[in-house]
Amino acid sequence: MFNRPHWSYSSVNQYLRCPLQFYFQRILRLPQPTVGSGLVLGSSVHKALEVYHRSLQKQKPVKADRLHRAFLDSWKERESNSTIEFRKGDSREDNIAQGISLIEVYLKEPPPESIVAVEKEMIFPIRNSLGEYLETPMVAIVDLLTREHGRLAITELKTSGRSYGSFEVEDSLQPTSYVTAVWETFGEWATVEFAVLVKTKTPKLQRLPTVRDESDLGRLGDIVQAVERGIEAQAFYPNRTPLNCSTCAYREPCENWKASKRSRCGDTTHGQRMAEVSQC
Ligand code: SF4
């Protein structure tokens, strides 16, 4: 997408969650033998809703069966490129049925109006709390950008096995990166809402609005700067938690990992390292 070195929310967040997983994926670029069914379901629902939003933007709304097809096409594409790992008691059929019902839940909502952009890609500078610009910019892809009551509004679509708590939205760096992206691109301060499609027995949609201010943007820059220092210092270590590890594709290399092994980036410059990590 963007050829120059850059950060993204997912790369920063991956380092914060597990620096070793970050190292395996973005520095060593180890192949991922499997991909979790939850990820495939999420990206396929996402693809179908992108088709929906684009059709609304063109004022030619598509029917539900077209969206079901988009979901299935995306699922099959992932299936042909990788091995999907299912949780115990989970199956392909269950996931496909669940994906379709999540799309149906979304379609029951009033359709978004005044769509400004769908899947809007932006590359933008980040500043720390001292107001200093960082050398490496960030990229963001906003799922849906609309104008509500004269203000730009960002909608971030999620699929989740459980309802979100408000702290997950308040504390997340993702809305902060989006607000920064819109500010630097459009010169306007945007609101953010997480639209969470929850995969409960009876699927539901949770809407969680959140706001960010100047200090949040500075904190994002401070965190990215701290992550850059961690990479410079080759601070790549495992962070074992059930949440991190249950879906990790690198469980085997993680078991074999030794701290004394020299990192591949041991002889590289900062610029080279950023180029390595930025393929996200
Ligand atoms: S298995 Fe867990 S600790 Fe090891 S790399 Fe994966 S997420 Fe990190």
Side-chain angles (χ1 to χ4, degrees), residues 17-21 24 237-241 244-246 248-251 254-255:
R17 276 191 294 106
C18 179
L20 188 60
Q21 190 191 67
F24 287 149
Y237 52 89
N239 181 21
R240 295 193 74 88
T241 69
N244 280 349
C245 305
S246 60
C248 180
Y250 303 112
R251 290 189 292 262
C254 180
E255 287 297 322

Side-chain angles (χ1 to χ4, degrees), residues 231-243:
I231 292 167
E232 291 274 350
Q234 300 181 43
F236 303 116
Y237 52 89
N239 181 21
R240 295 193 74 88
T241 69
L243 198 64

Side-chain angles (χ1 to χ4, degrees), residues 78-238:
R78 291 299 293 269
E79 213 167 37
S80 64
N81 295 331
S82 40
T83 304
I84 302 177
E85 186 178 19
F86 295 96
R87 288 208 165 108
K88 213 174 163 192
D90 202 11
S91 70
R92 180 184 191 271
E93 290 65 37
D94 292 344
N95 274 267
I96 288 176
Q98 199 162 45
I100 302 285
S101 52
L102 292 177
I103 293 166
E104 292 299 323
V105 167
Y106 192 77
L107 291 181
K108 283 195 186 119
E109 293 281 304
E113 294 176 351
S114 307
I115 295 178
V116 176
V118 177
E119 295 295 309
K120 175 72 180 166
E121 297 178 0
M122 291 169 271
I123 184 160
F124 55 95
I126 30 180
R127 269 176 295 150
N128 64 18
S129 57
L130 300 175
E132 300 161 343
Y133 279 102
L134 274 57
E135 194 181 314
T136 305
M138 203 166 199
V139 302
I141 305 176
V142 166
D143 291 339
L144 180 65
L145 191 62
T146 55
R147 194 167 281 286
E148 289 174 10
H149 313 295
R151 286 189 74 176
L152 285 174
I154 296 159
T155 302
E156 167 64 14
L157 297 163
K158 298 273 183 207
T159 55
S160 169
R162 54 171 179 80
S163 298
Y164 269 40
S166 57
F167 68 93
E168 284 168 280
V169 180
E170 293 308 322
D171 280 357
S172 172
L173 293 178
Q174 195 170 22
T176 317
S177 66
Y178 291 166
V179 169
T180 312
V182 169
W183 171 252
E184 295 288 349
T185 307
F186 294 88
E188 291 186 45
W189 207 259
T191 59
V192 185
E193 182 179 76
F194 274 30
V196 187
L197 287 158
V198 188
K199 300 183 276 180
T200 36
K201 205 168 176 188
T202 307
K204 63 176 182 182
L205 178 68
Q206 207 186 1
R207 290 194 180 273
L208 295 163
T210 187
V211 290
R212 292 294 183 268
D213 62 22
E214 275 284 347
S215 68
D216 295 313
L217 273 52
R219 189 166 176 81
L220 172 68
D222 288 349
I223 291 171
V224 172
Q225 212 164 21
V227 169
E228 287 181 351
R229 287 183 188 135
I231 292 167
E232 291 274 350
Q234 300 181 43
F236 303 116
Y237 52 89

Side-chain angles (χ1 to χ4, degrees), residues 235-279:
F236 303 116
Y237 52 89
N239 181 21
R240 295 193 74 88
T241 69
L243 198 64
N244 280 349
C245 305
S246 60
T247 54
C248 180
Y250 303 112
R251 290 189 292 262
E252 202 180 320
C254 180
E255 287 297 322
N256 298 326
W257 170 82
K258 300 273 184 297
S260 57
K261 277 188 184 165
R262 189 175 173 78
S263 147
R264 202 190 82 186
C265 61
D267 300 326
T268 56
T269 64
H270 169 82
Q272 286 168 322
R273 279 192 286 283
M274 292 313 304
E276 284 179 322
V277 302
S278 66
Q279 305 306 311

